[in-house]
Amino acid sequence: MYKPVILDFNRKEHGFVGHLAEPEQTSNRAVIVIMGGEQSVFPGIKIAERFADYGFIGLAVSLFGAERLPESPDRCPLEMFEKAVHYLKTERNIAHISTYGQSMGSIFAVLVAQYIGNIENVVMVSPTHVPFEGTAKDKKHMTGHSVATWREEDISFVRADFSKVNAVKYYKTDIVSHKVMGMWLAYYKAYQDKSAEEKAHLEIEKTGARILLIAGGADEAWPAEYSVSYMEQYLREKKYEKEYKSIIYPNVSHLTGMMPNKERERKLYRMIPLIGIIYKSFGKHKEECMAAFEQSEKEIVNWLSQ
């Protein structure tokens, strides 16, 4: 089995921290993968490698947790993506660039297309429709600033009140039928402030890209299905001319979308039973969630191949 060649990038020399996976054959299509920090449980490079399996150049760009990057998801500078896009366009002569954002990365998948441009497709998996407040390194305190900045200015964001909930504890609620984390409740409450939501929501129509939205109907971490519905309605109201599509998988967890290669990453796949402990919907509906991995992967690859 072919194992993609990996190239590493650092902020000092290249302007961004990232890892590029080369496909077996030369390609003029690239996907910028945005997952979160450099030390994530499912590293972005593993998803970039999966895109390389399908013939795309996969470039995973880290938001925080590396030298010359923020220590936590707080004030992550969009400028580093300028360097990444420039590298793909000028040094690799890539004609077709897409962004793939999962969870927190979905925010940046949109912002990169909006502020930097040259993006043909934006794929958002388990997304939110608003940037949120930055989190301190201790993961217990908020910073009062946005998770993202542009030219050292905060991108508009919403504040979620975590004072009345434990972010990772599970709660029963009358809002949805499945158990949700405290952070789900905090973000849902934040979205009820329609003035703040209106001010901070992602201006997805400014991407000029084709948009694919994917969420699980039993997302435990935040109301991703609500965010997908919000963005879809927003695009309709804007009479958005580019193609867009939304997919909701009933009973499916926050963890969906592209996954690492099963054959190469057997150790990671042995961790799947642990996922059911962290993500309750996954544990309760494992078969549906596993099927959604395969279905969503096909949808994403097909979307990016058009």
Side-chain angles (χ1 to χ4, degrees), residues 15-294:
F16 66 97
V17 175
H19 310 280
L20 183 144
E22 296 269 14
E24 189 170 9
Q25 304 294 329
T26 302
S27 176
N28 69 346
R29 293 180 180 270
V31 182
I32 298 175
V33 176
I34 314 167
M35 303 282 286
E38 178 73 0
Q39 307 300 325
S40 297
V41 176
F42 285 105
I45 183 55
K46 299 303 180 184
I47 306 305
E49 287 180 357
R50 189 61 179 146
F51 279 115
D53 291 340
Y54 285 101
F56 300 92
I57 289 176
L59 176 59
V61 176
S62 298
L63 298 175
F64 58 91
E67 187 177 356
R68 302 196 179 207
L69 289 183
E71 293 182 319
S72 61
D74 176 53
R75 286 167 280 184
C76 302
L78 289 175
E79 289 82 358
M80 58 188 174
F81 288 96
E82 283 187 302
K83 304 295 186 181
V85 171
H86 179 77
Y87 168 79
L88 292 173
K89 296 287 287 187
T90 61
E91 296 193 36
R92 302 302 298 263
N93 296 313
I94 301 299
H96 309 284
I97 303 176
S98 301
T99 55
Y100 173 88
Q102 193 163 339
S103 190
M104 176 198 311
S106 65
I107 299 168
F108 292 85
V110 172
L111 294 177
V112 169
Q114 177 183 342
Y115 283 86
I116 296 163
N118 292 309
I119 304 299
E120 290 189 359
N121 300 283
V122 171
V123 178
M124 304 173 73
V125 177
S126 301
T128 175
H129 62 295
V130 290
F132 50 77
E133 187 175 4
T135 307
K137 186 181 179 181
D138 63 11
K139 299 182 180 180
K140 296 179 180 179
H141 299 90
M142 311 308 282
T143 65
H145 292 277
S146 177
V147 70
T149 62
W150 175 248
R151 306 293 188 238
E152 300 184 352
E153 295 289 331
D154 279 1
I155 300 292
S156 294
F157 64 98
V158 297
R159 287 186 167 92
D161 181 7
F162 292 96
S163 65
K164 296 179 176 61
V165 294
N166 180 324
V168 296
K169 180 181 176 180
Y170 276 87
Y171 298 83
K172 289 184 178 180
T173 174
D174 294 333
I175 304 168
V176 291
S177 60
H178 61 283
K179 288 184 178 181
V180 298
M181 294 179 183
M183 62 184 292
W184 192 105
L185 294 171
Y187 282 113
Y188 181 84
K189 184 177 180 181
Y191 299 160
Q192 306 316 300
D193 183 344
K194 297 304 176 184
S195 175
E197 182 184 47
E198 177 68 22
K199 181 180 178 182
H201 72 78
L202 294 166
E203 295 177 299
I204 194 168
E205 83 283 5
K206 293 184 179 179
T207 64
R210 297 168 67 245
I211 310 291
L212 179 60
L213 307 168
I214 296 176
D219 192 308
E220 315 92 333
W222 57 29
E225 182 176 5
Y226 170 83
S227 291
V228 166
S229 297
Y230 184 101
M231 288 186 282
E232 188 175 33
Q233 180 178 344
Y234 178 74
L235 290 171
R236 282 198 301 267
E237 291 174 354
K238 289 292 183 180
K239 296 181 170 56
Y240 192 59
E241 294 182 353
K242 293 291 182 73
E243 185 181 6
Y244 60 92
K245 179 180 180 180
S246 66
I247 303 171
I248 304 295
Y249 294 108
N251 297 325
V252 167
S253 167
H254 183 73
L255 188 62
T256 192
M258 301 291 291
M259 292 293 287
N261 183 293
K262 286 184 180 180
E263 295 301 316
R264 285 197 304 267
E265 306 300 335
R266 292 179 181 179
K267 289 183 179 180
L268 275 176
Y269 275 85
R270 283 201 289 268
M271 294 171 57
I272 283 179
L274 299 177
I275 296 173
I277 298 173
I278 301 170
Y279 294 107
K280 299 294 187 184
S281 295
F282 192 99
K284 187 176 181 180
H285 304 285
K286 181 180 175 182
E287 289 188 8
E288 288 176 73
C289 290
M290 293 298 291
F293 286 153
E294 295 185 9

Side-chain angles (χ1 to χ4, degrees), residues 123 212 214 245 247 249 258 292-306:
V123 178
L212 179 60
I214 296 176
K245 179 180 180 180
I247 303 171
Y249 294 108
M258 301 291 291
F293 286 153
E294 295 185 9
Q295 293 164 14
S296 59
E297 182 172 288
K298 289 177 182 178
E299 290 281 357
I300 292 163
V301 171
N302 180 63
W303 187 266
L304 298 178
S305 299
Q306 295 179 32

